[in-house]
């Protein structure tokens, strides 16, 4: 049997109390006035037999009942907590008795005791029935189970909780106490509550919630996992944590997942608050490319934030080792929004480059940790910028994109049209999200590849711009498709002079017989086929020493222009009496152009992809792009390498560190198929080996996040292997600084609180959302521990109406019988 916890009564639901108070007050005033009116004339008209005035007895019962009702109604209106339903019921009965007494006081002397009691009872019963019908009271009681869950309410009492985020606003700690009291008021019948204030001094549950108000939030550090462990050790099955989330203690967050208790975190405090009274300069972040070609200008942007140093002028420098590359003077504007400092410089050598942004330490600063930031870069050989435009998604697109993107000497931007006017954009597009519309945009690239697009795909202006760009030195190629070349009306375009082939229609427009292309005499000598000529049919017609998979067919070209060179043909197909042209090239102005009739070279990659960068597919497209760019002598590989790419030199304790390295294979290709490892030596001398994970978004990059807590120097050695062969090794250092002081950082950290909730299976909420959190806490409570609320209505419409009518009727009939008014 569950023990009874509390009994309550409601009128017209919980909102009927106010009406009840008003009615009690009105009846009380009426009763006082009525008693006074009937007593005053009696007092003035009454005298004794000798003529001396005699005062009648004062009607104490109605006057006391009326006065009590008025006082109660006033107190209930002014002081809500004084409202008591049981007192209201007692006063209602007292008022009913007083009213009936007044009503029958004049006839008491004419009736016997039995008749008075009968009339009195009938009138009281009628009035009670009427009141019950009007206000519909319901009695409710709460049953508490024998075993009730304990809910721990933990409030962070560290120094940062003493902060008021806005003028005239309660401190974070006081807001937490008020929120905890509100939550406790709603949950006190469902849980056994225990309160904790973690400040490093109170290491157990508090005696009561009232003790929270007497605790000063002055703890020297915030160790949220330890605070949660205190509540768990006290037997709390669910825990609510009020905090700003500033974690600077030594305990790791992930240790609390072993407790097996859900923690519901409530954030208090602003995320933009700064320690405005303490001078500080911090380089927040450095934005810029992590790889760049040698000899090209690079722009890096340092974001600098400062506090309490307004209008101070500082020197911001970019260093390579001890050499200053560039510097700027910055007038500090203290506030939450960082200032930008742009550095422009030109790297002069290939390889790993570690840059350092630095600001001299001001004597008033509390810490020098934020005045420097490291930024590693990988400087590569000059890269050929290629723009690949495709009118539709087709099998040729994916392999060609991947091959060019993984070439370390090519920077690819691809625009693949998914529906008219909408493009899927990949690569370092620099803001280009559609086909270029100006000569300057076209000339940002060294080579343009056009896929299966009609002449109407480009406007006349765009065709003229592309033609000018080729004249100035741009490389241009169109590759085979169903609706380009002559079938796409390119013979009528402004770009037609650029093509190395004739664009007049042929019949049939497509050749559908599978074949392996044959090299011409010019093709055999071209650098485009250097090292891969053995895969093609030779100029003499003999098969190569290796065999390429067949192309499924190709576009039928009407012929080559007089100045063009035909490099590949299909000798088994005849067009206008000559072997079908597969690849033709030409010099146009300062640029180079090509027309490739095939659109199924993905078959070469499909069957020979295991050869990687050595496959004829990779080398054909790479060498063709280099020829079009006029850089056929650029090395296709610089050998295997491993480059450490940790972005920063210093991290705060508990801040995640991203380990990163760039890997190229034996052919110098960025590879996603290596096995990468990071050997970490910790400040205490211990070592650990971690497996690195390949990035799908950036082939050749390998990443791994760690969460170091121990302050000091960390030494990381990166190594990569492929096919059992070591590709290289590189090392880098970073430092973890000691935990910040409690008042050094005042911006709330909801990220920490969300992580705590996720680690324990709880939930996160802002302070204003604790109502929804209460529902989640109740839902998580075991059914055997839940409090049961029962209710019983104290009225019955039909029965009480019949009783009211019967009582009034019986009283009226008896009064008539006994000749009473």
């Amino acid at each position: 049997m569950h023990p009874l916890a509390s009994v309550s009564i409601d009128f017209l639901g919980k909102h009927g109390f106010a009406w009840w108070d008003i009615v009690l007050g009105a009846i009380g005033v009426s009763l006082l006035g009525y008693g006074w009116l009937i007593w005053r004339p009696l007092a003035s008209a009454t005298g004794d037999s000798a003529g001396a005035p005699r005062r009648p007895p004062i009607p104490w019962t109605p006057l006391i009942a009326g006065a009590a009702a008025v006082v109660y109604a006033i107190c209930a209106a002014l002081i809500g907590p004084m409202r008591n339903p049981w007192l209201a019921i007692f006063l209602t009965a007292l008022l009913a008795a007083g009213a009936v007494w007044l009503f029958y006081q004049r006839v008491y002397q004419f009736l016997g005791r039995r008749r008075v009691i009968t009339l009195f009872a009938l009138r009281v019963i009628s009035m009670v029935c009427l009141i019950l019908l009007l206000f519909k009271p319901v009695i409710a009681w709460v049953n508490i189970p024998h075993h009730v869950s304990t809910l721990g309410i933990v409030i962070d009492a560290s120094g940062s909780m003493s902060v008021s985020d806005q003028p005239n606003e309660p401190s974070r700690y006081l807001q937490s106490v008020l929120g905890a009291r509100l939550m406790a008021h709603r949950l006190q019948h469902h849980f056994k509550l225990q309160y904790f204030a973690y400040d490093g001094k109170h290491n157990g549950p508090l005696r009561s919630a009232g003790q929270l108000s007497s605790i000063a939030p002055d703890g020297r550090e915030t160790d949220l996992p330890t605070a949660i462990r205190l509540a768990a050790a006290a037997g709390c099955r669910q825990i609510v944590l009020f905090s700003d989330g500033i974690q600077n203690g030594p305990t790791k967050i992930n240790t609390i997942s072993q407790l097996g208790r859900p923690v519901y975190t409530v954030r208090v405090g602003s995320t933009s608050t700064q320690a405005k009274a303490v001078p500080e300069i911090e380089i927040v972040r450095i934005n810029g490319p992590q790889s760049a070609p040698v000899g090209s200008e690079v722009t890096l942007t340092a974001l600098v934030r400062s506090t309490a140093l307004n209008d101070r002028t500082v020197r911001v420098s970019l260093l390579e080792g001890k050499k200053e590359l560039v510097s700027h003077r910055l007038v500090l504007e203290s506030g939450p929004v960082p200032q930008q400092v742009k550095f422009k410089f030109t790297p002069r050598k290939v390889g790993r480059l570690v840059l350092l942004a630095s600001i001299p330490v001001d004597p008033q600063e509390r810490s020098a940790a934020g005045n420097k930031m490291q930024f590693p870069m990988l400087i590569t050989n000059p890269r050929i910028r290629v723009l690949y435009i495709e009118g539709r998604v087709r099998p040729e697109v994916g392999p060609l994109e991947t091959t060019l993107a993984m070439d370390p000497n090519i920077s690819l931007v691809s625009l693949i049209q998914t529906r008219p006017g909408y493009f899927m954009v990949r690569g370092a597009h620099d803001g280009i999200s559609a086909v270029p519309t100006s000569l300057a945009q076209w000339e940002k690239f060294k080579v343009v590849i056009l896929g299966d697009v009609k002449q109407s795909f480009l406007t006349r202006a765009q065709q003229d711009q592309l033609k000018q760009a080729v004249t100035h030195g741009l490389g241009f190629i169109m590759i085979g498709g169903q609706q380009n070349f002559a079938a796409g009306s390119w013979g009528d375009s402004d770009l037609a002079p650029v093509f190395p082939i004739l664009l007049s229609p042929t019949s049939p427009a497509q050749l559908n017989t599978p074949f392996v292309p044959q090299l011409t005499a010019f093709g055999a000598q071209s650098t485009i086929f250097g090292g891969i000529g053995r895969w093609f049919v030779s100029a003499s017609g003999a098969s190569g020493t290796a065999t390429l998979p067949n192309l499924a067919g190709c576009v039928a070209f009407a012929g080559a222009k007089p100045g063009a060179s035909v490099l590949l043909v299909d000798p088994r197909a005849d067009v206008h009496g000559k072997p079908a042209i597969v690849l033709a090239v030409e010099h146009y102005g300062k640029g180079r152009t090509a027309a490739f009739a095939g659109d199924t070279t993905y078959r070469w990659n499909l069957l020979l992809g295991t050869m990687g960068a050595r496959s004829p597919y990779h080398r054909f497209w790479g060498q063709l792009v280099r020829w079009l760019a006029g850089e056929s002598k650029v090395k296709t590989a610089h050998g295997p390498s491993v480059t450490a790419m940790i972005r920063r030199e210093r991290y705060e304790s508990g801040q995640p560190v991203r380990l990163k390295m760039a890997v190229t294979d034996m052919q110098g290709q960025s590879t996603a198929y290596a096995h990468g490892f990071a050997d970490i030596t910790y400040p205490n001398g211990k070592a650990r080996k971690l497996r690195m994970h390949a990035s799908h978004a950036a082939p050749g990059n390998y990443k791994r996040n760690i969460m170091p807590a121990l302050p000091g120097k960390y030494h990381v050695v990166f190594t990569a292997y492929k096919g059992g062969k070591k590709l290289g090794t590189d090392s880098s250092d970073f430092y973890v600084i000691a935990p910040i002081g409690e008042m050094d950082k005042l911006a709330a950290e909801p990220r920490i609180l969300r992580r705590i909730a996720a680690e324990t299976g709880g939930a996160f909420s802002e302070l204003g959302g604790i109502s929804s959190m209460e529902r989640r806490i109740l839902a998580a409570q075991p059914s055997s521990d839940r409090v049961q609320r029962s209710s019983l209505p104290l009225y019955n419409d039909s029965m009480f109406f019949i009783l009211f009518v019967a009582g009034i009727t019986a009283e009226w009939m008896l009064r008539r019988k006994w000749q009473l008014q």
Side-chain angles (χ1 to χ4, degrees):
M1 186 70 181
H2 297 310
L4 195 64
S6 62
V7 180
S8 62
I9 188 166
D10 298 331
F11 304 102
L12 289 175
K14 293 186 178 180
H15 304 289
F17 283 114
W19 287 108
W20 189 275
D21 298 337
I22 293 172
V23 169
L24 280 180
I27 295 175
V29 172
S30 302
L31 205 56
L32 285 172
Y34 186 58
W36 172 257
L37 288 176
I38 65 173
W39 177 74
R40 185 177 180 181
L42 287 174
S44 61
T46 305
D48 58 13
S49 57
R54 182 174 56 85
R55 186 176 298 274
I58 298 175
W60 290 111
T61 300
L63 292 178
I64 291 174
V70 171
V71 171
Y72 170 81
I74 294 174
C75 292
L78 298 179
I79 309 173
M82 289 191 64
R83 181 180 290 125
N84 188 309
W86 300 108
L87 180 58
I89 291 175
F90 172 74
L91 289 177
T92 302
L94 190 60
L95 287 174
V100 173
W101 185 88
L102 277 177
F103 187 80
Y104 285 113
Q105 65 162 335
R106 296 185 179 182
V107 298
Y108 283 161
Q109 55 185 326
F110 305 110
L111 298 175
R113 181 185 299 272
R114 184 177 298 177
R115 291 185 177 185
V116 170
I117 292 175
T118 302
L119 293 175
F120 188 89
L122 289 172
R123 176 58 65 96
V124 169
I125 289 173
S126 300
M127 293 183 67
V128 169
C129 289
L130 180 62
I131 291 173
L132 293 176
L133 284 172
L134 291 176
F135 289 93
K136 302 183 184 302
V138 175
I139 188 169
W141 60 93
V142 176
N143 291 322
I144 302 258
H146 292 291
H147 301 286
V148 181
S149 298
T150 302
L151 176 69
I153 298 180
V154 182
I155 298 182
D156 179 2
S158 61
S160 62
M161 294 291 287
S162 65
V163 172
S164 295
D165 295 284
Q166 298 292 335
N168 302 319
E169 183 180 75
S171 68
R172 297 176 180 179
Y173 180 77
L174 182 55
Q175 291 182 53
S176 300
V177 171
L178 295 175
R181 286 179 176 173
L182 181 62
M183 178 177 284
H185 177 71
R186 296 169 179 168
L187 298 179
Q188 60 185 343
H189 296 309
H190 302 272
F191 294 91
K192 178 183 177 183
L193 300 178
Q194 286 189 333
Y195 301 90
F196 303 82
Y198 184 75
D199 55 2
K201 295 172 288 188
H202 296 82
N203 297 318
L206 303 178
R207 294 188 302 273
S208 65
Q211 194 177 349
L212 289 169
S213 301
S214 62
I215 294 175
D218 56 3
R220 295 186 177 181
E221 71 174 17
T222 304
D223 195 344
L224 298 179
T226 300
I228 293 168
R229 286 181 180 277
L230 285 178
C236 299
R237 296 181 63 175
Q238 298 187 69
I239 300 169
V240 180
L241 172 65
F242 289 83
S243 175
D244 53 17
I246 300 175
Q247 165 69 14
N248 53 25
T251 310
K252 294 182 179 180
I253 298 294
N254 57 9
T255 60
I256 58 176
S257 60
Q258 305 168 359
L259 298 177
R261 291 167 172 80
V263 178
Y264 301 88
T265 55
V266 181
R267 189 202 88 181
V268 291
S270 170
T271 57
S272 61
T273 302
Q274 300 294 322
K276 298 179 180 179
V278 184
E280 181 66 50
I281 301 173
E282 179 187 12
I283 301 176
V284 179
R285 188 171 63 252
I286 299 177
N287 293 331
Q290 280 205 272
S291 64
V294 66
S296 63
E297 187 177 72
V298 177
T299 300
L300 300 180
T301 303
L303 302 182
V304 180
R305 184 163 55 207
S306 63
T307 57
L309 290 170
N310 210 30
D311 297 328
R312 190 76 56 88
T313 300
V314 297
R315 183 184 181 90
V316 189
S317 304
L318 186 67
L319 307 173
E320 180 187 357
K322 295 183 179 180
K323 178 185 176 183
E324 184 178 84
L325 300 178
V326 62
S327 67
H328 297 286
R329 291 194 174 275
L330 176 67
V331 179
L332 297 177
E333 297 176 2
S334 296
V337 180
Q339 297 174 261
Q340 295 187 0
V341 180
K342 293 187 179 294
F343 299 111
K344 293 185 178 182
F345 70 101
T346 303
R348 297 300 179 187
K349 60 181 180 180
V350 175
R352 182 168 178 259
L353 177 64
V354 179
L355 302 172
L356 184 68
S358 176
I359 301 175
V361 179
D362 190 280
Q364 299 182 30
E365 285 190 76
R366 62 192 170 189
S367 170
N371 291 60
K372 294 181 179 181
M373 180 168 286
Q374 182 177 284
F375 189 83
M377 292 188 67
L378 180 62
I379 307 303
T380 63
N381 287 317
R383 305 186 77 181
I384 303 168
R385 293 207 71 194
V386 177
L387 176 62
Y388 175 27
I389 303 174
E390 188 61 78
R392 62 189 176 93
V393 179
R394 53 180 179 150
E396 189 80 337
V397 172
L400 182 54
E401 268 192 316
T402 302
T403 296
L404 297 179
M406 291 184 66
D407 193 312
N409 300 120
I410 292 176
S411 175
L412 177 70
V413 176
S414 58
L415 298 173
I416 312 301
Q417 184 173 249
T418 54
R419 65 179 190 271
Y422 291 88
F423 294 89
M424 181 168 52
V425 185
R426 292 195 180 99
H429 50 83
D430 293 336
I432 295 177
S433 58
V435 179
T437 56
S438 68
L439 178 61
Q441 288 182 327
W442 288 109
E443 290 187 337
K444 284 184 176 181
F445 301 92
K446 288 286 288 182
V447 176
V448 171
I449 302 174
L450 275 187
D452 196 8
V453 295
K454 295 181 179 179
Q455 181 257 359
S456 59
F457 184 83
L458 299 180
T459 65
R460 290 287 181 179
Q462 287 173 316
Q463 294 171 23
D464 183 63
Q465 293 159 7
L466 182 53
K467 179 181 176 183
Q468 291 184 56
V470 174
T471 304
H472 296 164
L474 178 71
F476 169 77
I477 181 175
M478 179 175 281
I479 60 177
Q482 299 294 317
Q483 50 187 5
N484 57 1
F485 291 111
S489 303
W490 283 98
D492 300 327
S493 70
D494 293 344
L495 198 61
V498 171
F499 287 82
I501 48 103
L502 302 174
L503 293 170
S504 53
T506 61
S507 182
Q510 297 281 335
L511 303 174
N512 298 318
T513 303
F515 71 99
V516 175
Q518 178 179 339
L519 289 168
T520 65
F522 289 107
Q525 300 299 317
S526 173
T527 58
I528 295 174
F529 299 97
I532 57 173
R534 64 190 179 93
W535 291 89
F536 296 85
V537 178
S538 68
S540 62
S543 298
T545 56
T547 304
L548 279 174
N550 288 329
L551 295 179
C554 64
V555 178
F557 293 153
K561 288 183 178 178
S565 299
V566 177
L567 306 185
L568 286 178
V569 296
D570 177 7
R572 294 181 296 177
D574 182 272
V575 178
H576 296 171
K578 295 182 180 181
I581 299 172
V582 177
L583 175 63
V585 297
E586 183 184 20
H587 288 264
Y588 186 87
K590 294 182 180 180
R592 298 181 179 188
T593 66
F596 182 66
D599 65 349
T600 55
T601 62
Y602 68 87
R603 291 185 168 197
W604 299 349
N605 181 65
L606 189 65
L607 297 178
L608 302 174
T610 56
M611 297 179 64
R614 296 180 292 107
S615 75
Y617 178 81
H618 282 259
R619 296 187 67 177
F620 167 72
W621 283 110
Q623 292 170 182
L624 177 56
V625 166
R626 285 170 173 79
W627 183 89
L628 290 167
E631 299 181 8
S632 56
K633 294 182 180 180
V634 172
K635 294 182 180 180
T636 60
H638 58 267
S641 68
V642 171
T643 306
M645 302 289 285
I646 300 178
R647 287 187 69 117
R648 297 177 59 179
E649 183 184 28
R650 294 179 180 272
Y651 294 84
E652 295 177 356
S653 178
Q655 184 178 8
V657 176
R658 169 162 287 190
L659 305 179
K660 182 179 178 182
M661 65 179 183
V663 179
T664 58
D665 60 15
M666 294 296 180
Q667 288 71 43
Q669 295 277 17
S670 299
T671 177
Y673 302 103
H675 299 286
F677 299 92
D679 291 281
I680 308 174
T681 303
Y682 290 78
N684 57 7
K686 294 183 179 180
R688 184 184 179 190
K689 192 182 190 74
L690 296 177
R691 179 73 178 266
M692 302 288 286
H693 306 301
S695 170
H696 299 290
N701 286 340
Y702 292 75
K703 303 174 182 178
R704 179 70 181 261
N705 288 346
I706 63 173
M707 188 74 70
L710 193 64
K713 177 182 177 181
Y714 290 73
H715 181 67
V716 187
V717 178
F718 296 97
T719 312
Y721 301 87
K722 185 179 181 183
K725 295 181 179 180
K726 186 176 180 178
L727 299 179
T729 184
D730 196 10
S731 63
S732 182
D733 297 331
F734 67 89
Y735 296 84
V736 173
I737 61 177
I740 60 173
E742 179 61 30
M743 300 302 290
D744 288 349
K745 182 180 180 182
L746 298 180
E749 286 281 2
R751 175 179 59 86
I752 298 293
L753 297 175
R754 284 192 176 94
R755 186 180 171 202
I756 290 173
E759 290 276 355
T760 60
F764 168 82
S765 173
E766 304 291 344
L767 186 60
I770 58 176
S771 296
S772 59
M773 179 173 284
E774 291 165 5
R775 292 191 289 271
R776 296 193 64 165
I777 293 173
L778 288 172
Q781 187 181 22
S783 57
S784 60
D785 293 351
R786 292 181 185 174
V787 172
Q788 303 295 327
R789 188 176 189 273
S790 304
S791 61
L792 176 68
L794 298 180
Y795 63 92
N796 183 293
D797 291 342
S798 302
M799 183 179 69
F800 281 17
F801 181 74
I802 293 173
L803 287 176
F804 169 72
V805 173
I808 291 295
T809 303
E811 183 204 17
W812 179 80
M813 292 178 66
L814 290 175
R815 289 173 60 201
R816 297 291 294 175
K817 180 179 179 181
W818 296 330
Q819 299 181 358
L820 297 175
Q821 293 183 356

